[in-house]
Amino acid sequence: MTPQPGGTAPILELVDVGKSFGDLRVIERVSLAVPSGQALGVVGPNGAGKSTLLNVIAGQERASRGSVHLDGADVTRRSPDERCRLGIGRSYQIPRPFTHLTVFENALVAAQYGGRLRGKAAQAAALDALAVAGLLPASNVPSGQLPLLGRKRMEMARALATQPRLLLLDEIAGGLTEAEADELVGTISSLKRTGINIIWIEHVVKALVQVVDRLVCLASGVLIKDGAPDEVLKSEEVLRVYLGSELE
C-alpha cells in the first residue's frame, strides 16, 4: 500500500489487478489509487474492460490476480453486500429498478438491505437519496413508469440510499439527450461537492469532463493513460485507441 501525504490511505487502491474468464483476459495488471475526495473518470473503447473493472471493485466479479483495498483494508475476498456495507455504492449501465415498487420503495429497499438501516433511519436515507438524485417529487410513482432519465436517476438514488463513501457510476449518461445529460451532470456535480468519492465510466466524454478531476483510459484491459482530463484526451495513444470514432 502506498500512503498518501499525511499518512492517509487512498479510499480505493487496486494493486496489480487482473481478471480473466477462462483464457480470455479482460483486465491486465491494473494498479490504481484514488485519493479521498477525488472524482475519477474512466474512458476507453467498447470491450476495453471498463464495466468489468467496476464489477471487480464492487465485488460482482472476483479479481483473478492482485488485490482491492478500501480505506487501506484488503477487501479482495469480500462479497458485494459486504463491500456495500463498507461504503461502496454502484449504479448499472442498464437501470435495474424493481418495477412493481414505487420510486420511494426502491430507495427504501436499498437503504434497508444495502445500508442495513431500519425504521425511520432507512426512510430518512431513502428520502435524502431521492432528494439528491432529483426524484423526490416522483416518490410515489411506480418505477416502471419512469422515463429513461428518471430511471437513470433511480439507479443513482438506490446507490446513494446505501450511504456510500465511494460511488461507482456506469455510463449513467448513456442514451440521454444532450439536455438530459446536462441535467444529470448538474446533479453529479452537486453530489461531488458533498465530498463523496466518484468513479465514473462514460462514453459521453463531454459530460464526464465537466465533473471529474482525473481521467484514466483503458484499452484491451490495460491502463494506458492516467492524468488530468485535458492531458489524457490529447494523448496520441488515447486518440489512436479511439481512432476518432467515439472520442469527442
Side-chain angles (χ1 to χ4, degrees):
M1 297 289 292
T2 304
Q4 298 297 296
T8 302
I11 189 167
L12 178 77
E13 186 168 17
L14 307 181
V15 181
D16 201 28
V17 165
K19 178 62 184 176
S20 300
F21 297 96
D23 294 332
L24 177 62
R25 295 181 179 180
V26 181
I27 299 175
E28 297 262 13
R29 306 179 74 101
V30 170
S31 293
L32 181 69
V34 182
S36 182
Q38 187 175 83
L40 174 70
V42 183
V43 296
N46 289 328
K50 303 183 298 297
S51 291
T52 300
L53 183 67
L54 282 200
N55 288 340
V56 169
I57 294 170
Q60 279 90 10
E61 301 286 353
R62 181 168 290 182
S64 302
R65 64 169 295 151
S67 56
V68 180
H69 302 260
L70 184 68
D71 283 333
D74 191 336
V75 298
T76 310
R77 297 189 176 277
R78 297 274 192 165
S79 66
D81 58 306
E82 289 176 312
R83 296 192 204 192
C84 183
R85 292 194 294 273
L86 289 170
I88 298 178
R90 166 78 194 271
S91 77
Y92 290 88
Q93 181 178 349
I94 299 175
R96 303 179 178 183
F98 299 112
T99 55
H100 61 291
L101 299 180
T102 66
V103 167
F104 171 72
E105 288 167 340
N106 268 267
L108 184 62
V109 167
Q112 291 174 329
Y113 291 93
R116 289 295 179 95
L117 300 173
R118 294 293 179 266
K120 291 182 178 180
Q123 294 175 22
L127 291 171
D128 285 347
L130 293 176
V132 171
L135 275 181
L136 200 55
S139 295
N140 295 320
V141 174
S143 61
Q145 296 180 12
L146 291 174
L148 181 58
L149 177 59
R151 296 198 300 274
K152 297 279 190 173
R153 290 184 180 277
M154 181 79 264
E155 277 292 297
M156 188 189 305
R158 293 200 305 173
L160 291 173
T162 68
Q163 300 189 323
R165 290 174 294 112
L166 174 63
L167 178 64
L168 310 178
L169 300 175
D170 192 351
E171 296 198 29
I172 197 163
L176 300 178
T177 67
E178 185 172 350
E180 290 172 335
D182 286 344
E183 278 189 48
L184 207 56
V185 163
T187 299
I188 298 171
S189 295
S190 297
L191 182 60
K192 177 189 171 186
R193 288 193 289 272
T194 69
I196 192 170
N197 288 80
I198 296 170
I199 299 179
W200 183 4
I201 290 173
E202 191 56 70
H203 275 296
V204 185
V205 179
K206 179 182 176 182
L208 188 65
V209 297
Q210 293 180 64
V211 176
V212 300
D213 307 299
R214 174 181 163 205
L215 203 59
V216 299
C217 182
L218 279 179
S220 300
V222 178
L223 185 62
I224 64 169
K225 194 67 177 178
D226 180 349
D230 285 348
E231 173 192 337
V232 170
L233 295 177
K234 291 176 182 177
S235 161
E236 289 186 7
E237 189 171 11
V238 172
L239 292 172
R240 185 167 61 252
V241 163
Y242 273 101
L243 298 177
S245 62
E246 298 178 71
L247 192 59
E248 296 182 359

